[in-house]
Amino acid sequence: MLVALAVADRPGTARAEVIDPPPPPVDPERGNFWRDLLTPHKDEIDLILTRARQALSQADMALYSDTDPTGLERTRFYKEVYGMLKYARRLAPDNVDVLRLLGQTADEHGKTREAIEALQAAIDLVGPDKVGADVTGRLGIIYLRLGKLDDAIRYLHAAEGPVIAGQPITAHVLVHLATALAARGQMGEAIDVLANAIPAQVPYYTNELVVVSFALAVQYDRDEQRGAAFEILDRMQTILQGQLATMVQMQLGGIRFAPAEDRHYYNGLLYEAAGHYAEARAEWALYAANGDAPYRRRALDHIAALDELRRDAPRALARSLGITPPPPPPPPTGHRRRHP
């Protein structure tokens, strides 16, 4: 197509100059015989992957906000994306990116068997060292939920690495690896996994460091190292100031705990550290309600301590006001009432 422009040479005259438009950008892969032969659906697959990533990103934002309190919208997104990726896999069964996202959506959609199969297929194609922590880590977390500790630890170890800001999976892998090691009786190793990931000096807590640091406080508490747990929480409080409870609660919302009752333990310690004792007691009670919970005794210890604190609160307030509190009521004597 040609474009004609009027160009003035001198006052009162003009001439027409014909200018060719710039050529369209050339696709470097256009007409690539081998690409078209080996990956005939590449353009369609790329489009599906782009749309899937956008939809999943939008769906996951609901985990950190109140825009989808029931989770129905997020479930709808994952259901639609799951169908798209199933179709993409039929077109490109050996595409690692398709398998990665298919495993993620299947897992979030409750299709555990399909998730394991897709993630394992991705690992088989390129190996556990190259496939990425989002594949090996997610597979390890699934096995942890299923109670298969050896498989969980193997894949979580393969995904283990430094905590990277903006990549939540790097923190979630460490939290679940510590949980798995502790469940196998290796509490020292569990604590080391988390402690070694935290810098000696933390000028600022990223979201990922918030998760790992609070998980370390939880493991110290479970190991009855109460002073060490308090030190971690005090350091976080000093740096985060009034944002500790908000930031931790927001980041815990993005974790799918394994076992599921661990959420109550984490929430119990968070509420207790924030001074919300009624909420803390409720969370500890929910955790302890599971008679098989491995740290049930620690949860009951927290409940007893909170009950003691509540009983002593009026007397402590009276002492702070300079009032001599009345003596506590005498214990019952155990005498039986006489009958006439």
PDB file of all heavy atoms in Angstrom, residues 173-195:
ATOM      1  N   VAL A 173       8.058 -24.858  49.663  1.00  0.00           N
ATOM      2  CA  VAL A 173       8.830 -26.100  49.639  1.00  0.00           C
ATOM      3  C   VAL A 173       9.535 -26.311  50.974  1.00  0.00           C
ATOM      4  O   VAL A 173       9.526 -27.413  51.541  1.00  0.00           O
ATOM      5  CB  VAL A 173       9.850 -26.074  48.481  1.00  0.00           C
ATOM      6  CG1 VAL A 173      10.951 -27.119  48.686  1.00  0.00           C
ATOM      7  CG2 VAL A 173       9.149 -26.319  47.157  1.00  0.00           C
ATOM      8  N   LEU A 174      10.152 -25.263  51.514  1.00  0.00           N
ATOM      9  CA  LEU A 174      10.892 -25.390  52.769  1.00  0.00           C
ATOM     10  C   LEU A 174       9.955 -25.669  53.939  1.00  0.00           C
ATOM     11  O   LEU A 174      10.276 -26.475  54.822  1.00  0.00           O
ATOM     12  CB  LEU A 174      11.693 -24.113  53.028  1.00  0.00           C
ATOM     13  CG  LEU A 174      12.757 -23.770  51.985  1.00  0.00           C
ATOM     14  CD1 LEU A 174      13.468 -22.475  52.353  1.00  0.00           C
ATOM     15  CD2 LEU A 174      13.767 -24.897  51.824  1.00  0.00           C
ATOM     16  N   VAL A 175       8.809 -25.016  53.957  1.00  0.00           N
ATOM     17  CA  VAL A 175       7.849 -25.245  55.042  1.00  0.00           C
ATOM     18  C   VAL A 175       7.386 -26.701  55.040  1.00  0.00           C
ATOM     19  O   VAL A 175       7.354 -27.363  56.090  1.00  0.00           O
ATOM     20  CB  VAL A 175       6.640 -24.298  54.894  1.00  0.00           C
ATOM     21  CG1 VAL A 175       5.532 -24.670  55.890  1.00  0.00           C
ATOM     22  CG2 VAL A 175       7.069 -22.849  55.111  1.00  0.00           C
ATOM     23  N   HIS A 176       7.047 -27.229  53.875  1.00  0.00           N
ATOM     24  CA  HIS A 176       6.563 -28.606  53.803  1.00  0.00           C
ATOM     25  C   HIS A 176       7.683 -29.617  54.011  1.00  0.00           C
ATOM     26  O   HIS A 176       7.450 -30.689  54.592  1.00  0.00           O
ATOM     27  CB  HIS A 176       5.871 -28.846  52.467  1.00  0.00           C
ATOM     28  CG  HIS A 176       4.535 -28.173  52.365  1.00  0.00           C
ATOM     29  ND1 HIS A 176       4.370 -26.926  51.796  1.00  0.00           N
ATOM     30  CD2 HIS A 176       3.300 -28.558  52.776  1.00  0.00           C
ATOM     31  CE1 HIS A 176       3.093 -26.590  51.854  1.00  0.00           C
ATOM     32  NE2 HIS A 176       2.431 -27.558  52.444  1.00  0.00           N
ATOM     33  N   LEU A 177       8.883 -29.289  53.566  1.00  0.00           N
ATOM     34  CA  LEU A 177      10.008 -30.191  53.812  1.00  0.00           C
ATOM     35  C   LEU A 177      10.272 -30.297  55.312  1.00  0.00           C
ATOM     36  O   LEU A 177      10.504 -31.394  55.844  1.00  0.00           O
ATOM     37  CB  LEU A 177      11.258 -29.693  53.083  1.00  0.00           C
ATOM     38  CG  LEU A 177      12.544 -30.506  53.305  1.00  0.00           C
ATOM     39  CD1 LEU A 177      12.352 -31.970  52.939  1.00  0.00           C
ATOM     40  CD2 LEU A 177      13.693 -29.893  52.501  1.00  0.00           C
ATOM     41  N   ALA A 178      10.236 -29.171  56.013  1.00  0.00           N
ATOM     42  CA  ALA A 178      10.415 -29.201  57.464  1.00  0.00           C
ATOM     43  C   ALA A 178       9.313 -30.012  58.138  1.00  0.00           C
ATOM     44  O   ALA A 178       9.573 -30.786  59.070  1.00  0.00           O
ATOM     45  CB  ALA A 178      10.438 -27.770  58.010  1.00  0.00           C
ATOM     46  N   THR A 179       8.085 -29.855  57.668  1.00  0.00           N
ATOM     47  CA  THR A 179       6.971 -30.623  58.225  1.00  0.00           C
ATOM     48  C   THR A 179       7.185 -32.118  58.021  1.00  0.00           C
ATOM     49  O   THR A 179       6.958 -32.929  58.934  1.00  0.00           O
ATOM     50  CB  THR A 179       5.644 -30.196  57.571  1.00  0.00           C
ATOM     51  OG1 THR A 179       5.426 -28.800  57.810  1.00  0.00           O
ATOM     52  CG2 THR A 179       4.479 -30.989  58.129  1.00  0.00           C
ATOM     53  N   ALA A 180       7.630 -32.496  56.822  1.00  0.00           N
ATOM     54  CA  ALA A 180       7.833 -33.913  56.516  1.00  0.00           C
ATOM     55  C   ALA A 180       8.960 -34.498  57.356  1.00  0.00           C
ATOM     56  O   ALA A 180       8.845 -35.613  57.883  1.00  0.00           O
ATOM     57  CB  ALA A 180       8.128 -34.082  55.030  1.00  0.00           C
ATOM     58  N   LEU A 181      10.053 -33.772  57.493  1.00  0.00           N
ATOM     59  CA  LEU A 181      11.176 -34.265  58.295  1.00  0.00           C
ATOM     60  C   LEU A 181      10.772 -34.422  59.759  1.00  0.00           C
ATOM     61  O   LEU A 181      11.119 -35.414  60.411  1.00  0.00           O
ATOM     62  CB  LEU A 181      12.364 -33.320  58.161  1.00  0.00           C
ATOM     63  CG  LEU A 181      13.067 -33.314  56.794  1.00  0.00           C
ATOM     64  CD1 LEU A 181      14.050 -32.142  56.710  1.00  0.00           C
ATOM     65  CD2 LEU A 181      13.794 -34.632  56.553  1.00  0.00           C
ATOM     66  N   ALA A 182      10.038 -33.438  60.279  1.00  0.00           N
ATOM     67  CA  ALA A 182       9.588 -33.529  61.665  1.00  0.00           C
ATOM     68  C   ALA A 182       8.652 -34.710  61.858  1.00  0.00           C
ATOM     69  O   ALA A 182       8.710 -35.406  62.884  1.00  0.00           O
ATOM     70  CB  ALA A 182       8.896 -32.223  62.071  1.00  0.00           C
ATOM     71  N   ALA A 183       7.799 -34.960  60.872  1.00  0.00           N
ATOM     72  CA  ALA A 183       6.871 -36.094  60.975  1.00  0.00           C
ATOM     73  C   ALA A 183       7.621 -37.422  60.983  1.00  0.00           C
ATOM     74  O   ALA A 183       7.123 -38.406  61.542  1.00  0.00           O
ATOM     75  CB  ALA A 183       5.882 -36.059  59.809  1.00  0.00           C
ATOM     76  N   ARG A 184       8.802 -37.442  60.410  1.00  0.00           N
ATOM     77  CA  ARG A 184       9.609 -38.662  60.414  1.00  0.00           C
ATOM     78  C   ARG A 184      10.532 -38.717  61.626  1.00  0.00           C
ATOM     79  O   ARG A 184      11.384 -39.599  61.732  1.00  0.00           O
ATOM     80  CB  ARG A 184      10.427 -38.754  59.118  1.00  0.00           C
ATOM     81  CG  ARG A 184      10.818 -40.175  58.760  1.00  0.00           C
ATOM     82  CD  ARG A 184      11.266 -40.318  57.331  1.00  0.00           C
ATOM     83  NE  ARG A 184      12.512 -39.599  57.050  1.00  0.00           N
ATOM     84  CZ  ARG A 184      13.155 -39.666  55.880  1.00  0.00           C
ATOM     85  NH1 ARG A 184      12.658 -40.389  54.894  1.00  0.00           N
ATOM     86  NH2 ARG A 184      14.265 -38.986  55.683  1.00  0.00           N
ATOM     87  N   GLY A 185      10.369 -37.774  62.560  1.00  0.00           N
ATOM     88  CA  GLY A 185      11.156 -37.777  63.784  1.00  0.00           C
ATOM     89  C   GLY A 185      12.468 -37.043  63.686  1.00  0.00           C
ATOM     90  O   GLY A 185      13.292 -37.116  64.602  1.00  0.00           O
ATOM     91  N   GLN A 186      12.689 -36.306  62.597  1.00  0.00           N
ATOM     92  CA  GLN A 186      13.952 -35.586  62.388  1.00  0.00           C
ATOM     93  C   GLN A 186      13.738 -34.090  62.640  1.00  0.00           C
ATOM     94  O   GLN A 186      13.897 -33.269  61.750  1.00  0.00           O
ATOM     95  CB  GLN A 186      14.470 -35.838  60.969  1.00  0.00           C
ATOM     96  CG  GLN A 186      14.733 -37.295  60.655  1.00  0.00           C
ATOM     97  CD  GLN A 186      15.057 -37.520  59.179  1.00  0.00           C
ATOM     98  OE1 GLN A 186      14.317 -38.213  58.478  1.00  0.00           O
ATOM     99  NE2 GLN A 186      16.150 -36.951  58.703  1.00  0.00           N
ATOM    100  N   MET A 187      13.366 -33.759  63.875  1.00  0.00           N
ATOM    101  CA  MET A 187      13.056 -32.371  64.196  1.00  0.00           C
ATOM    102  C   MET A 187      14.280 -31.465  64.038  1.00  0.00           C
ATOM    103  O   MET A 187      14.160 -30.318  63.594  1.00  0.00           O
ATOM    104  CB  MET A 187      12.506 -32.277  65.614  1.00  0.00           C
ATOM    105  CG  MET A 187      12.147 -30.854  66.045  1.00  0.00           C
ATOM    106  SD  MET A 187      10.892 -30.077  64.996  1.00  0.00           S
ATOM    107  CE  MET A 187       9.397 -30.820  65.659  1.00  0.00           C
ATOM    108  N   GLY A 188      15.465 -31.947  64.407  1.00  0.00           N
ATOM    109  CA  GLY A 188      16.673 -31.129  64.241  1.00  0.00           C
ATOM    110  C   GLY A 188      16.900 -30.745  62.802  1.00  0.00           C
ATOM    111  O   GLY A 188      17.194 -29.580  62.488  1.00  0.00           O
ATOM    112  N   GLU A 189      16.762 -31.721  61.886  1.00  0.00           N
ATOM    113  CA  GLU A 189      16.925 -31.434  60.466  1.00  0.00           C
ATOM    114  C   GLU A 189      15.830 -30.496  59.964  1.00  0.00           C
ATOM    115  O   GLU A 189      16.073 -29.623  59.117  1.00  0.00           O
ATOM    116  CB  GLU A 189      16.911 -32.725  59.654  1.00  0.00           C
ATOM    117  CG  GLU A 189      18.131 -33.605  59.861  1.00  0.00           C
ATOM    118  CD  GLU A 189      17.987 -34.532  61.057  1.00  0.00           C
ATOM    119  OE1 GLU A 189      17.140 -34.247  61.946  1.00  0.00           O
ATOM    120  OE2 GLU A 189      18.723 -35.536  61.112  1.00  0.00           O
ATOM    121  N   ALA A 190      14.621 -30.660  60.491  1.00  0.00           N
ATOM    122  CA  ALA A 190      13.512 -29.795  60.090  1.00  0.00           C
ATOM    123  C   ALA A 190      13.802 -28.340  60.449  1.00  0.00           C
ATOM    124  O   ALA A 190      13.582 -27.427  59.640  1.00  0.00           O
ATOM    125  CB  ALA A 190      12.220 -30.253  60.765  1.00  0.00           C
ATOM    126  N   ILE A 191      14.307 -28.120  61.645  1.00  0.00           N
ATOM    127  CA  ILE A 191      14.644 -26.766  62.073  1.00  0.00           C
ATOM    128  C   ILE A 191      15.784 -26.201  61.243  1.00  0.00           C
ATOM    129  O   ILE A 191      15.768 -25.027  60.834  1.00  0.00           O
ATOM    130  CB  ILE A 191      14.980 -26.762  63.573  1.00  0.00           C
ATOM    131  CG1 ILE A 191      13.699 -26.999  64.391  1.00  0.00           C
ATOM    132  CG2 ILE A 191      15.651 -25.459  63.993  1.00  0.00           C
ATOM    133  CD1 ILE A 191      13.936 -27.175  65.873  1.00  0.00           C
ATOM    134  N   ASP A 192      16.782 -27.038  60.937  1.00  0.00           N
ATOM    135  CA  ASP A 192      17.922 -26.570  60.143  1.00  0.00           C
ATOM    136  C   ASP A 192      17.500 -26.132  58.746  1.00  0.00           C
ATOM    137  O   ASP A 192      18.035 -25.159  58.201  1.00  0.00           O
ATOM    138  CB  ASP A 192      18.976 -27.665  60.039  1.00  0.00           C
ATOM    139  CG  ASP A 192      19.731 -27.886  61.340  1.00  0.00           C
ATOM    140  OD1 ASP A 192      19.660 -26.993  62.207  1.00  0.00           O
ATOM    141  OD2 ASP A 192      20.371 -28.938  61.493  1.00  0.00           O
ATOM    142  N   VAL A 193      16.561 -26.852  58.127  1.00  0.00           N
ATOM    143  CA  VAL A 193      16.091 -26.492  56.788  1.00  0.00           C
ATOM    144  C   VAL A 193      15.587 -25.051  56.764  1.00  0.00           C
ATOM    145  O   VAL A 193      15.879 -24.285  55.840  1.00  0.00           O
ATOM    146  CB  VAL A 193      14.984 -27.466  56.330  1.00  0.00           C
ATOM    147  CG1 VAL A 193      14.182 -26.888  55.166  1.00  0.00           C
ATOM    148  CG2 VAL A 193      15.584 -28.796  55.920  1.00  0.00           C
ATOM    149  N   LEU A 194      14.831 -24.681  57.774  1.00  0.00           N
ATOM    150  CA  LEU A 194      14.265 -23.329  57.831  1.00  0.00           C
ATOM    151  C   LEU A 194      15.286 -22.303  58.302  1.00  0.00           C
ATOM    152  O   LEU A 194      15.400 -21.215  57.727  1.00  0.00           O
ATOM    153  CB  LEU A 194      13.049 -23.323  58.759  1.00  0.00           C
ATOM    154  CG  LEU A 194      11.898 -24.245  58.339  1.00  0.00           C
ATOM    155  CD1 LEU A 194      10.870 -24.367  59.449  1.00  0.00           C
ATOM    156  CD2 LEU A 194      11.241 -23.730  57.070  1.00  0.00           C
ATOM    157  N   ALA A 195      16.044 -22.645  59.352  1.00  0.00           N
ATOM    158  CA  ALA A 195      16.999 -21.683  59.913  1.00  0.00           C
ATOM    159  C   ALA A 195      18.086 -21.325  58.905  1.00  0.00           C
ATOM    160  O   ALA A 195      18.512 -20.156  58.822  1.00  0.00           O
ATOM    161  CB  ALA A 195      17.623 -22.253  61.186  1.00  0.00           C
TER     162      ALA A 195
END
